[in-house]
Amino acid sequence: MARAPRPRAVPPRPAPRARTAPRERALVTAVVETCHRLAALDLIGAGEGNVSVRLGPDAFLVTASGVNKGLLRPGHVLRIDGAGTVTRGAGRPSTELRMHLAAYAARPDVEAIVHAHPITAVALTVAGVPPPNDLVPEAAVTLGEIALAPFATPGTGEVPASLAPYLARHDVLLLERHGALALGRTLPEALDRMETLERVARIALAARLAGRCTPLPADAVDRVLVAAGRPARRR
């Protein structure tokens, strides 16, 4: 009698790969587009700058360190937890990660952060010129009061420490001889603030070259804010 054929061993199925949620994919795309826009606007160059978004209560997306942001791809966007540990992606998070995490901790309302090196705005800090506050109505509404943090060694704990006194009350911060930080409820808002900061810095430089750079009076700023549906400044 012929023997029945032995059943062939079936190899185990590979574990299903974790799927990225649609919201996370959309935010990764937004981070990539934001970095490309920053490069196109000459707000960063080479590996400069970094971008992050809040993904959840203990999860964030942040750009990888050392990557040219004009060439950034989705694989260069890492997911991290609140301690800065990478939970998705390969590579090392931005060297300024501590600055981002400190800002998120201080501002629960902030959902996105853009750090760039706008040339004119940084040049004003090198020249020892005060931040270009309240020069034109649009900037008073978009930027609020710009803070100036003293010089701190990039990539170290000195940077978040230098920003700590200003994070609670300011959405735009200049880092002396380093760059700028823009906070927002969305990535487009943070990016718009960074772009506006550099444009206002150019206005400040042009006005100084023309002879005088005078901000709007405080009462005029308050009228502008109220007209835009914002509260007047607390002084």
Side-chain angles (χ1 to χ4, degrees):
M1 179 181 294
R3 292 184 179 179
R6 291 184 179 181
R8 296 169 61 185
V10 178
R13 290 186 177 183
R17 296 177 64 183
R19 298 181 64 183
T20 305
R23 178 173 177 270
E24 183 172 348
R25 289 199 300 271
L27 287 175
V28 168
T29 298
V31 169
V32 171
E33 291 174 349
T34 297
C35 289
H36 292 177
R37 178 70 175 158
L38 287 169
L41 291 169
D42 200 24
L43 294 171
I44 53 175
E48 294 175 351
N50 30 77
V51 173
S52 69
V53 293
R54 193 193 298 269
L55 189 59
D58 190 47
F60 305 87
L61 298 175
V62 65
T63 49
S65 177
V67 179
N68 187 313
K69 305 308 181 298
L71 304 175
L72 195 82
R73 297 292 179 264
H76 299 133
V77 181
L78 312 178
R79 184 172 65 203
I80 61 167
D81 62 19
T85 303
V86 175
T87 58
R88 184 193 61 75
R92 189 163 52 91
S94 166
T95 54
E96 299 293 2
L97 178 59
R98 282 175 285 190
M99 173 176 68
H100 288 251
L101 293 177
Y104 286 121
R107 294 283 299 275
D109 59 311
V110 167
E111 296 290 325
I113 296 174
V114 170
H115 170 53
H117 295 180
I119 293 172
T120 314
V122 174
L124 294 181
T125 75
V126 175
V129 174
N133 273 316
D134 301 334
L135 299 184
V136 292
E138 297 81 1
V141 174
T142 303
L143 304 178
E145 292 181 277
I146 304 164
L148 175 60
F151 177 76
T153 307
T156 72
E158 293 178 18
V159 177
S162 73
L163 297 175
Y166 310 104
L167 288 171
R169 294 188 58 247
H170 299 273
D171 294 321
V172 178
L173 303 93
L174 274 170
L175 287 63
E176 184 181 357
R177 295 177 180 265
H178 179 179
L181 196 69
L183 316 179
R185 294 163 295 183
T186 64
L187 264 177
E189 182 175 66
L191 176 59
D192 282 352
R193 284 174 172 159
M194 186 62 69
E195 183 176 357
T196 301
L197 170 65
E198 176 62 4
R199 289 181 61 81
V200 175
R202 292 177 186 175
I203 292 172
L205 177 60
R208 287 178 175 275
L209 292 173
R212 187 175 63 176
C213 183
T214 306
L216 286 166
D219 61 332
V221 172
D222 284 344
R223 292 199 303 274
V224 167
L225 293 174
V226 171
R230 308 283 183 87
R233 295 259 177 90
R234 288 182 297 172
R235 297 180 176 87

